[in-house]
Amino acid sequence: MTTATGQNPAALADGLNAIDAHRLRRDFPILNQEINGQPLVYLDSAATTQKPQVVIDAIVDYYTRNNANVHRGVHTLSQRATDDYERAREAVRRFINAPESCEVIYVRGTTEGLNLVASSYGRKYFKPGDEVIVTGMEHHSNIVPWQILGKEIGVKLRVVPFNDDGELLLDQFESMLGDRTRMVSVVHQSNALGTVNPVKTMASLAHARGVPVMLDAAQSIPHMPIDVQDLGADFVAFSGHKMYGPTGIGVLWGRAELLDAMPPYQSGGEMIRSVTFEETIYNDLPAKFEAGTPDIAGAIGLGAAVEYLEAIGMARIARYEHALMRYGAERLGSIAGVRLVGTAANKGGVLSFIMDAAHAHDIGTILDAAGIAVRTGHHCAQPVMARYEISATARASLGLYNTTDDIDALVKAIDRVIEVFG
Ligand code: PMP
């Protein structure tokens, strides 16, 4: 048996039992509060996720007991800080199944990871007339760095279009790959639409023509198992704060032979082996790309987040969130006057919608009065809005702590929007 939108109730119930979200949400102290007199319903995890107590404790513990600069001192505190900082790197390596921990470069977030590759790899290898392929559903951070470089060097952006459901037109991608293509840089899961792109297929098509592939995994890493070797990517960037870790820290993973051949992105302390006024010899990976004192507490907090996710299991999280997304899509989709934007067959926990009755910002304001946090606006993906000829959507995005109760509260508040504006 299936429901009106093609759901199998048994599969849905099975998915919703994959994790115990009611129990897990107790790990997140921030969720236990009222906003405007209503219990907080947090549906903005695509913007940033909330932090479990273990992550908060790891940061407090670092500053309370171990704070010192890393890689620089023989004293005990410095050694403890260095050990914890490097242990977190190894945890990230394991989490993404990278071959070597030296390939895990700490950066500020996805944005910095993308800028690093555009700036360092692009400046070294791109020539006038070369092309970089992105998709029509990129976050601005996977458009602007290539555009800036493009203006400087004369490199052209090619954009893979998508259909009305928000699915990439793969045949067009294939026909864009050519002699001038120097990089394919694609979003794994769209933050505006939720579409999960077939990046493994795209990587093998690109590699068949000798073109490297960069993945923006900001939205996929918290929601599904990521194996960088299985995906066949060359560079992958993601942000700690979207995977239950702190802000200010993220990761660029790259294949060692590519990173080794690339020039430094920033320079100063830590990234050198020796300096004279005549010449500087750069350090090995990962230090070559980690100039200056890093976000030590952030890295340790990220390590704690990774261990938290591993203990739950990414495959179970993916099954649960998929079922919850389907439940939400069915409930929202059945409200007259609500249109879902992004209906790809393969999509993650993002419910972007518009309403006949009200503008996205008005929706957001009414929802906030009901204690519900959603994001409204263009979601840093203005080309996606342009594709649908809209200026903004309201976006409910899911995390492992959301439940069907949260979706039900959202639906009730949307009924209120219709009452007020309809
Ligand atoms: N890419 C995608 C798909 C995103 O959703 C985001 C954050 N909204 C980014 C990149 C940028 O991430 P950050 O701001 O953490 O660098």
Side-chain angles (χ1 to χ4, degrees), residues 46 109-112 139 141 187 189 191 216 218-219 239 241-242:
T110 311
T111 303
E112 191 174 41
H139 185 277
S141 60
V187 65
Q189 175 175 317
N191 66 317
D216 169 354
Q219 295 294 340
S239 304
H241 71 97
K242 295 194 198 274

Side-chain angles (χ1 to χ4, degrees), residues 80-231:
R80 276 196 211 149
T82 304
D83 286 351
D84 289 353
Y85 178 75
E86 291 304 329
R87 200 173 303 118
R89 195 191 307 274
E90 171 56 20
V92 172
R93 184 209 64 73
R94 188 176 66 228
F95 190 63
I96 61 174
N97 193 30
E100 307 278 349
S101 63
C102 70
E103 299 172 324
V104 172
I105 313 289
Y106 288 128
V107 289
R108 275 196 303 124
T110 311
T111 303
E112 191 174 41
L114 287 158
N115 274 277
L116 191 162
V117 175
S119 176
S120 169
Y121 185 94
R123 280 214 179 80
K124 174 154 183 182
Y125 294 110
F126 295 175
K127 303 270 177 311
D130 285 348
E131 296 177 355
V132 172
I133 299 181
V134 297
T135 77
M137 62 180 88
E138 300 306 329
H139 185 277
H140 297 159
S141 60
N142 195 25
I143 301 172
V144 186
W146 304 112
Q147 222 166 34
I148 290 177
L149 193 71
K151 293 228 163 79
E152 217 177 282
I153 301 181
V155 171
K156 213 171 122 192
L157 265 191
R158 304 288 307 271
V159 183
V160 186
F162 55 87
N163 65 20
D164 289 345
D165 285 324
E167 294 165 330
L168 287 182
L169 304 181
L170 265 193
D171 51 340
Q172 299 226 16
F173 168 63
E174 214 173 334
S175 65
M176 276 177 197
L177 284 165
D179 292 347
R180 308 310 313 247
T181 316
R182 289 291 165 269
M183 176 69 76
V184 169
S185 188
V186 293
V187 65
H188 192 184
Q189 175 175 317
S190 157
N191 66 317
L193 301 171
T195 308
V196 178
N197 288 315
V199 291
K200 191 171 168 174
T201 307
M202 295 172 86
S204 69
L205 288 167
H207 287 159
R209 289 159 182 83
V211 177
V213 175
M214 164 125 214
L215 288 190
D216 169 354
Q219 295 294 340
S220 54
I221 194 105
H223 303 299
M224 63 185 81
I226 298 284
D227 178 329
V228 295
Q229 298 186 65
D230 179 60
L231 288 174

Side-chain angles (χ1 to χ4, degrees), residues 102 260 270-273 281-289:
C102 70
D260 269 332
E270 192 73 16
M271 51 75 67
I272 54 87
R273 181 170 302 142
I281 314 273
Y282 306 139
N283 212 333
D284 294 331
L285 296 176
K288 184 174 81 172
F289 290 108

Side-chain angles (χ1 to χ4, degrees), residues 235-272:
F235 299 103
V236 178
F238 49 92
S239 304
H241 71 97
K242 295 194 198 274
M243 54 190 295
Y244 309 97
T247 53
I249 188 81
V251 167
L252 169 73
W253 169 80
R255 286 203 292 114
E257 71 251 44
L258 295 178
L259 291 171
D260 269 332
M262 285 158 55
Y265 171 56
Q266 293 179 341
S267 49
E270 192 73 16
M271 51 75 67
I272 54 87

